[in-house]
Amino acid sequence: MDRIAAVERALRTAAPHMLLDVVTVALREQYEAGRVELRLADYGMRSLQAVEQIPFTTEPVSIHDSPQGRVFGSQEPNVVPDREAGTVVVHLPVTIRGDRMGVLSVTLPESRYAQALLPEIQHICEALGHEILVAERDTDLYLLARRAARLTLAAEMQWQLLPGRSCSRPEFALGAHLEPAYAIFGDNFDWSVSADHLTLTLTNGMGDGIEAALLTNLAVNALRNARRAGLGLADQASLADQAVYAQYRGAAHVAVLLLRFDLASGDVEAVDAGSPRMWRMRDRTVDAISFDAQLPLGMFGDTAYVTEQHKVLPGDRLLFGSDGVYGTLSPGGESYGQRALARSLAGTGFLPPTQVPGAVLRELASYRGETPLDDDALVVCLDWYGRQTGAAFGQ
């Protein structure tokens, strides 16, 4: 543990762009490691991109068909021996509070490898992940590494607005994804967790391109401002409604679904102000969950929003989708939300919630056939575990 503490101290004092160098030196000194490689998931969740200085020379690997990709998906270490070289390559997930970032690959001499080393190196991965999150305030290195293509300006704004792509606590786990990842404009998701509540927001700003991104940015930040002021869910919607109306005078609006989960009881408050929708899988049965539709944010500026009550039970899986998902038409003219979405959700029951959004969006791409995606597509999956009786948050 002294060795791990020394690495943590070195990471905290390192220049933001030197984090991988610090880890590489430590692994070489402590374990005689050879090659050390950090790969981060790209925005489209299709490849793992090497972290390196420009110009990039290392080819990406598939997130679905590679040793690193399998570790990213399973979140379990993988050891690949090379008998001819006398080495083993250890692939370990880099994940922080349920947010999957990437994979660290370490080549060790076969004589130095032992199963007992894995927990130690995994601790180093966790420390590295934490410091990357901090370092991203001061360097573009890790953001650039995630890009398999150039982002549009609207997409740049939307990705910077997001809290992450996955999150886990003892009471729940969730994963989310947006498509087209490199050209998203109006759809967004947000969450915040306190000692007692999870607040989840799904947002769909009207319009295209930069106009939609600006509109969504205003709405999301207005909702955050109201939440951080301690306002209830209905008042959060009202304040954001006023903010959007003050800027656009009713010419643009934002569709949102606001949810506040009580971590102890599973009681849910909801405000349905637009197009994002929710499905629930309970005991292998999928049902569309409807709330009373209220006006989208910004239409009139003085809308009085009211909350509805719902309840989730341990074992429930919730899926949320924007109209770009459930409204997508097959070549035969049937919407994805009519029957196919429920089948897709039921078919992903064996996947963790972090992988469900990508699986649903791949199914959606097959469903629409040759028809190009003409709208943003947002999918969020939430697995509800509930709080163990007498357990404190975070334990």
PDB file of all heavy atoms in Angstrom, residues 223 226 232-242 256 258 271 273 297 303 305:
ATOM      1  N   LEU A 223     -32.133  24.568 -15.110  1.00  0.00           N
ATOM      2  CA  LEU A 223     -32.589  23.497 -14.228  1.00  0.00           C
ATOM      3  C   LEU A 223     -31.573  23.246 -13.112  1.00  0.00           C
ATOM      4  O   LEU A 223     -31.941  23.037 -11.946  1.00  0.00           O
ATOM      5  CB  LEU A 223     -32.838  22.221 -15.029  1.00  0.00           C
ATOM      6  CG  LEU A 223     -34.066  22.247 -15.946  1.00  0.00           C
ATOM      7  CD1 LEU A 223     -34.024  21.090 -16.939  1.00  0.00           C
ATOM      8  CD2 LEU A 223     -35.351  22.193 -15.120  1.00  0.00           C
ATOM      9  N   ALA A 226     -31.763  26.042 -10.516  1.00  0.00           N
ATOM     10  CA  ALA A 226     -32.918  25.897  -9.626  1.00  0.00           C
ATOM     11  C   ALA A 226     -32.715  24.747  -8.647  1.00  0.00           C
ATOM     12  O   ALA A 226     -33.045  24.857  -7.459  1.00  0.00           O
ATOM     13  CB  ALA A 226     -34.177  25.678 -10.460  1.00  0.00           C
ATOM     14  N   GLY A 232     -37.892  22.560  -5.337  1.00  0.00           N
ATOM     15  CA  GLY A 232     -38.494  21.280  -5.666  1.00  0.00           C
ATOM     16  C   GLY A 232     -38.574  21.078  -7.163  1.00  0.00           C
ATOM     17  O   GLY A 232     -38.318  21.986  -7.968  1.00  0.00           O
ATOM     18  N   LEU A 233     -38.989  19.882  -7.564  1.00  0.00           N
ATOM     19  CA  LEU A 233     -38.976  19.520  -8.978  1.00  0.00           C
ATOM     20  C   LEU A 233     -39.881  20.421  -9.814  1.00  0.00           C
ATOM     21  O   LEU A 233     -39.491  20.883 -10.894  1.00  0.00           O
ATOM     22  CB  LEU A 233     -39.406  18.052  -9.126  1.00  0.00           C
ATOM     23  CG  LEU A 233     -38.821  17.280 -10.314  1.00  0.00           C
ATOM     24  CD1 LEU A 233     -37.313  17.193 -10.190  1.00  0.00           C
ATOM     25  CD2 LEU A 233     -39.433  15.885 -10.378  1.00  0.00           C
ATOM     26  N   ALA A 234     -41.088  20.690  -9.334  1.00  0.00           N
ATOM     27  CA  ALA A 234     -42.012  21.539 -10.091  1.00  0.00           C
ATOM     28  C   ALA A 234     -41.462  22.955 -10.232  1.00  0.00           C
ATOM     29  O   ALA A 234     -41.570  23.577 -11.302  1.00  0.00           O
ATOM     30  CB  ALA A 234     -43.383  21.560  -9.415  1.00  0.00           C
ATOM     31  N   ASP A 235     -40.857  23.463  -9.177  1.00  0.00           N
ATOM     32  CA  ASP A 235     -40.285  24.809  -9.242  1.00  0.00           C
ATOM     33  C   ASP A 235     -39.044  24.853 -10.133  1.00  0.00           C
ATOM     34  O   ASP A 235     -38.757  25.881 -10.761  1.00  0.00           O
ATOM     35  CB  ASP A 235     -39.944  25.306  -7.845  1.00  0.00           C
ATOM     36  CG  ASP A 235     -41.181  25.635  -7.022  1.00  0.00           C
ATOM     37  OD1 ASP A 235     -42.215  25.964  -7.643  1.00  0.00           O
ATOM     38  OD2 ASP A 235     -41.119  25.553  -5.790  1.00  0.00           O
ATOM     39  N   GLN A 236     -38.301  23.756 -10.190  1.00  0.00           N
ATOM     40  CA  GLN A 236     -37.184  23.699 -11.123  1.00  0.00           C
ATOM     41  C   GLN A 236     -37.681  23.867 -12.560  1.00  0.00           C
ATOM     42  O   GLN A 236     -37.106  24.625 -13.353  1.00  0.00           O
ATOM     43  CB  GLN A 236     -36.446  22.371 -10.984  1.00  0.00           C
ATOM     44  CG  GLN A 236     -35.701  22.189  -9.676  1.00  0.00           C
ATOM     45  CD  GLN A 236     -35.109  20.796  -9.540  1.00  0.00           C
ATOM     46  OE1 GLN A 236     -34.722  20.172 -10.525  1.00  0.00           O
ATOM     47  NE2 GLN A 236     -35.031  20.301  -8.312  1.00  0.00           N
ATOM     48  N   ALA A 237     -38.757  23.163 -12.881  1.00  0.00           N
ATOM     49  CA  ALA A 237     -39.330  23.274 -14.218  1.00  0.00           C
ATOM     50  C   ALA A 237     -39.837  24.695 -14.477  1.00  0.00           C
ATOM     51  O   ALA A 237     -39.631  25.250 -15.565  1.00  0.00           O
ATOM     52  CB  ALA A 237     -40.454  22.261 -14.391  1.00  0.00           C
ATOM     53  N   SER A 238     -40.485  25.293 -13.488  1.00  0.00           N
ATOM     54  CA  SER A 238     -41.026  26.647 -13.658  1.00  0.00           C
ATOM     55  C   SER A 238     -39.923  27.674 -13.888  1.00  0.00           C
ATOM     56  O   SER A 238     -40.046  28.552 -14.749  1.00  0.00           O
ATOM     57  CB  SER A 238     -41.857  27.042 -12.434  1.00  0.00           C
ATOM     58  OG  SER A 238     -43.009  26.230 -12.316  1.00  0.00           O
ATOM     59  N   LEU A 239     -38.838  27.578 -13.118  1.00  0.00           N
ATOM     60  CA  LEU A 239     -37.745  28.521 -13.287  1.00  0.00           C
ATOM     61  C   LEU A 239     -37.097  28.373 -14.669  1.00  0.00           C
ATOM     62  O   LEU A 239     -36.786  29.372 -15.332  1.00  0.00           O
ATOM     63  CB  LEU A 239     -36.701  28.318 -12.199  1.00  0.00           C
ATOM     64  CG  LEU A 239     -35.557  29.347 -12.200  1.00  0.00           C
ATOM     65  CD1 LEU A 239     -36.053  30.722 -11.798  1.00  0.00           C
ATOM     66  CD2 LEU A 239     -34.426  28.905 -11.278  1.00  0.00           C
ATOM     67  N   ALA A 240     -36.885  27.125 -15.104  1.00  0.00           N
ATOM     68  CA  ALA A 240     -36.310  26.904 -16.430  1.00  0.00           C
ATOM     69  C   ALA A 240     -37.265  27.378 -17.529  1.00  0.00           C
ATOM     70  O   ALA A 240     -36.830  27.935 -18.544  1.00  0.00           O
ATOM     71  CB  ALA A 240     -35.978  25.426 -16.611  1.00  0.00           C
ATOM     72  N   ASP A 241     -38.553  27.178 -17.318  1.00  0.00           N
ATOM     73  CA  ASP A 241     -39.567  27.669 -18.257  1.00  0.00           C
ATOM     74  C   ASP A 241     -39.451  29.188 -18.411  1.00  0.00           C
ATOM     75  O   ASP A 241     -39.448  29.721 -19.531  1.00  0.00           O
ATOM     76  CB  ASP A 241     -40.945  27.274 -17.732  1.00  0.00           C
ATOM     77  CG  ASP A 241     -42.089  27.850 -18.555  1.00  0.00           C
ATOM     78  OD1 ASP A 241     -42.110  27.630 -19.784  1.00  0.00           O
ATOM     79  OD2 ASP A 241     -42.954  28.528 -17.953  1.00  0.00           O
ATOM     80  N   GLN A 242     -39.313  29.891 -17.308  1.00  0.00           N
ATOM     81  CA  GLN A 242     -39.186  31.354 -17.341  1.00  0.00           C
ATOM     82  C   GLN A 242     -37.897  31.779 -18.041  1.00  0.00           C
ATOM     83  O   GLN A 242     -37.881  32.745 -18.815  1.00  0.00           O
ATOM     84  CB  GLN A 242     -39.225  31.903 -15.920  1.00  0.00           C
ATOM     85  CG  GLN A 242     -40.555  31.711 -15.205  1.00  0.00           C
ATOM     86  CD  GLN A 242     -40.465  31.952 -13.709  1.00  0.00           C
ATOM     87  OE1 GLN A 242     -39.543  32.617 -13.233  1.00  0.00           O
ATOM     88  NE2 GLN A 242     -41.400  31.390 -12.956  1.00  0.00           N
ATOM     89  N   VAL A 256     -38.733  18.251 -21.778  1.00  0.00           N
ATOM     90  CA  VAL A 256     -37.953  17.612 -20.715  1.00  0.00           C
ATOM     91  C   VAL A 256     -38.801  16.593 -19.961  1.00  0.00           C
ATOM     92  O   VAL A 256     -40.036  16.690 -19.905  1.00  0.00           O
ATOM     93  CB  VAL A 256     -37.391  18.633 -19.688  1.00  0.00           C
ATOM     94  CG1 VAL A 256     -36.467  19.629 -20.347  1.00  0.00           C
ATOM     95  CG2 VAL A 256     -38.506  19.325 -18.934  1.00  0.00           C
ATOM     96  N   LEU A 258     -38.414  15.269 -16.080  1.00  0.00           N
ATOM     97  CA  LEU A 258     -37.701  15.447 -14.820  1.00  0.00           C
ATOM     98  C   LEU A 258     -38.136  14.360 -13.835  1.00  0.00           C
ATOM     99  O   LEU A 258     -39.339  14.133 -13.654  1.00  0.00           O
ATOM    100  CB  LEU A 258     -38.012  16.808 -14.202  1.00  0.00           C
ATOM    101  CG  LEU A 258     -37.579  18.064 -14.966  1.00  0.00           C
ATOM    102  CD1 LEU A 258     -38.184  19.296 -14.308  1.00  0.00           C
ATOM    103  CD2 LEU A 258     -36.081  18.170 -14.977  1.00  0.00           C
ATOM    104  N   VAL A 271     -42.024  15.152 -13.507  1.00  0.00           N
ATOM    105  CA  VAL A 271     -42.649  16.223 -14.267  1.00  0.00           C
ATOM    106  C   VAL A 271     -42.406  15.903 -15.737  1.00  0.00           C
ATOM    107  O   VAL A 271     -41.260  15.878 -16.194  1.00  0.00           O
ATOM    108  CB  VAL A 271     -42.070  17.610 -13.926  1.00  0.00           C
ATOM    109  CG1 VAL A 271     -42.632  18.672 -14.872  1.00  0.00           C
ATOM    110  CG2 VAL A 271     -42.371  17.978 -12.485  1.00  0.00           C
ATOM    111  N   ALA A 273     -42.719  17.217 -19.250  1.00  0.00           N
ATOM    112  CA  ALA A 273     -42.936  18.458 -19.990  1.00  0.00           C
ATOM    113  C   ALA A 273     -42.424  18.313 -21.416  1.00  0.00           C
ATOM    114  O   ALA A 273     -41.652  19.125 -21.901  1.00  0.00           O
ATOM    115  CB  ALA A 273     -42.249  19.624 -19.287  1.00  0.00           C
ATOM    116  N   LEU A 297     -40.888  23.479 -21.786  1.00  0.00           N
ATOM    117  CA  LEU A 297     -40.329  24.681 -21.186  1.00  0.00           C
ATOM    118  C   LEU A 297     -40.180  25.787 -22.227  1.00  0.00           C
ATOM    119  O   LEU A 297     -39.696  25.552 -23.335  1.00  0.00           O
ATOM    120  CB  LEU A 297     -38.953  24.391 -20.581  1.00  0.00           C
ATOM    121  CG  LEU A 297     -38.838  23.213 -19.605  1.00  0.00           C
ATOM    122  CD1 LEU A 297     -37.413  23.123 -19.068  1.00  0.00           C
ATOM    123  CD2 LEU A 297     -39.836  23.336 -18.472  1.00  0.00           C
ATOM    124  N   THR A 303     -46.034  28.871 -16.994  1.00  0.00           N
ATOM    125  CA  THR A 303     -46.700  27.584 -16.793  1.00  0.00           C
ATOM    126  C   THR A 303     -46.505  27.102 -15.358  1.00  0.00           C
ATOM    127  O   THR A 303     -45.402  27.158 -14.812  1.00  0.00           O
ATOM    128  CB  THR A 303     -46.140  26.529 -17.767  1.00  0.00           C
ATOM    129  OG1 THR A 303     -46.290  27.000 -19.104  1.00  0.00           O
ATOM    130  CG2 THR A 303     -46.851  25.197 -17.606  1.00  0.00           C
ATOM    131  N   TYR A 305     -46.223  24.039 -13.211  1.00  0.00           N
ATOM    132  CA  TYR A 305     -45.973  22.598 -13.345  1.00  0.00           C
ATOM    133  C   TYR A 305     -46.339  21.876 -12.054  1.00  0.00           C
ATOM    134  O   TYR A 305     -46.221  22.434 -10.957  1.00  0.00           O
ATOM    135  CB  TYR A 305     -44.504  22.352 -13.694  1.00  0.00           C
ATOM    136  CG  TYR A 305     -44.140  22.857 -15.066  1.00  0.00           C
ATOM    137  CD1 TYR A 305     -43.588  24.130 -15.234  1.00  0.00           C
ATOM    138  CD2 TYR A 305     -44.372  22.089 -16.203  1.00  0.00           C
ATOM    139  CE1 TYR A 305     -43.267  24.613 -16.490  1.00  0.00           C
ATOM    140  CE2 TYR A 305     -44.063  22.569 -17.456  1.00  0.00           C
ATOM    141  CZ  TYR A 305     -43.508  23.828 -17.605  1.00  0.00           C
ATOM    142  OH  TYR A 305     -43.203  24.303 -18.851  1.00  0.00           O
TER     143      TYR A 305
END
